[in-house]
Amino acid sequence: MPHSIRLALFVTATTLGLIGTGVNSASADMPERDEREHLRVCADGNNLPFTNREEQGFENRIAQLLAEDMGNPLTYVWAPQIMGFVRNTLELRVCDVIMGVAAGYEFVQGSNAYYRSVYSLIVPEGSDIEITSLNDPSLQDRRIGVIAETPPVVPLRRAGASIKGYPLQVDTRVRAPVKDAIEDIVAGITEGAVLWGPIAGYYAAQQEPALKVIPLVDDTTGAHLQYRITMGIRHGEPQWKDTLNDFIDRRQDDINAILADYNVPLLDRHGQLIDEGARDSE
């Protein structure tokens, strides 16, 4: 998810920033660059909590950490995460890495995963909806917001929830469906929402009072709610991949600390929630 996993779903467009169409074969056949004078990052300029032009997102901060580790200046190529994002950025070779990509997305080569997270339920404090799986009978007739075409939609329908949908494919310069979903909870239009974990944790904490986030770690519906997030690069760049994997291995604790600052629900390799005081590396 990250930036939907809309490349695969919603952990992409409004979450992970990974929209694309196909791989440019001519570009893929070009030799790997030997030297990198800058860390050139492909990113959406209006996609918090991941990235924005003011560099306030957690992927901005991780990119800065990477640039400092490499000893190179950090530069961005900004593009809205709409159809063609990968093709018009990474595959044109105007930038070299997308900071948040769901593992297994075929149009990029992924680094090792640098975090795992899970779709989560957001409810007001004091809500009587206390679930960690979407097959819970207490969801019957409850007003729940969800982004269209994302993994929670089908199990929510099966559970009998009254769904309020928000669009998946949007230009982030003009639409903010995630914010709409959060504002509807605050206004009492919905009783909760099921969103990708990093988005849920970030926006829930922005409210006054803060909303409650319940990671759906015990889900038994078979829906794909957990994702491993990597850094996406072009195919055919093994040295660049090794550089990123080495950075992730050495700086995992620093990465986890940044993610904790944004209230990202983190999972260990077994899919269990990592406690705030024990954010170990993968």
Side-chain angles (χ1 to χ4, degrees), residues 77-100:
V77 171
W78 303 110
Q81 288 171 2
I82 56 178
M83 194 62 67
F85 177 73
V86 172
R87 182 190 63 216
N88 294 325
T89 56
L90 195 66
E91 290 305 323
L92 285 182
R93 292 181 172 261
V94 295
C95 47
D96 300 312
V97 62
I98 301 170
M99 296 304 296

Side-chain angles (χ1 to χ4, degrees), residues 66-227:
L66 174 58
E68 292 171 357
D69 193 85
M70 294 173 60
N72 288 347
L74 172 61
T75 60
Y76 285 96
V77 171
W78 303 110
Q81 288 171 2
I82 56 178
M83 194 62 67
F85 177 73
V86 172
R87 182 190 63 216
N88 294 325
T89 56
L90 195 66
E91 290 305 323
L92 285 182
R93 292 181 172 261
V94 295
C95 47
D96 300 312
V97 62
I98 301 170
M99 296 304 296
V101 176
Y105 178 51
E106 62 181 317
F107 295 123
V108 302
Q109 177 181 200
S111 68
N112 292 342
Y114 67 94
Y115 76 94
R116 301 176 186 220
S117 194
V118 61
Y119 275 83
S120 301
L121 173 70
I122 308 171
V123 293
E125 282 291 350
S127 170
D128 63 349
I129 306 177
E130 292 279 350
I131 66 167
T132 54
S133 177
L134 292 180
N135 62 358
D136 195 296
S138 65
L139 287 170
Q140 179 74 37
D141 297 325
R142 307 307 287 264
R143 302 186 310 278
I144 305 295
V146 65
I147 302 296
E149 302 175 53
T150 61
V153 172
V154 171
L156 281 169
R157 284 178 178 156
R158 288 175 178 165
S162 176
I163 292 176
K164 178 174 173 56
Y166 304 87
L168 169 64
Q169 298 195 29
V170 299
D171 185 334
T172 56
R173 295 170 297 186
V174 296
R175 295 289 302 274
V178 170
K179 286 186 178 180
D180 293 341
I182 297 294
E183 289 172 0
D184 281 350
I185 299 172
V186 174
I189 296 171
T190 58
E191 298 174 82
V194 178
L195 301 173
W196 172 232
I199 294 176
Y202 177 77
Y203 282 108
Q206 304 300 308
Q207 308 308 309
E208 183 59 48
L211 299 174
K212 184 176 182 179
V213 176
I214 307 174
L216 298 171
V217 293
D218 299 319
D219 187 73
T220 57
T221 64
H224 194 173
L225 302 184
Q226 298 186 12
Y227 290 90

Side-chain angles (χ1 to χ4, degrees), residues 18 33 38 49 54 102 106 114 122 158 167 174 236 248 266 274:
L18 325 178
R33 298 174 61 200
H38 295 80
E54 291 72 37
E106 62 181 317
Y114 67 94
I122 308 171
R158 288 175 178 165
V174 296
I248 292 168
L266 295 182
I274 298 175

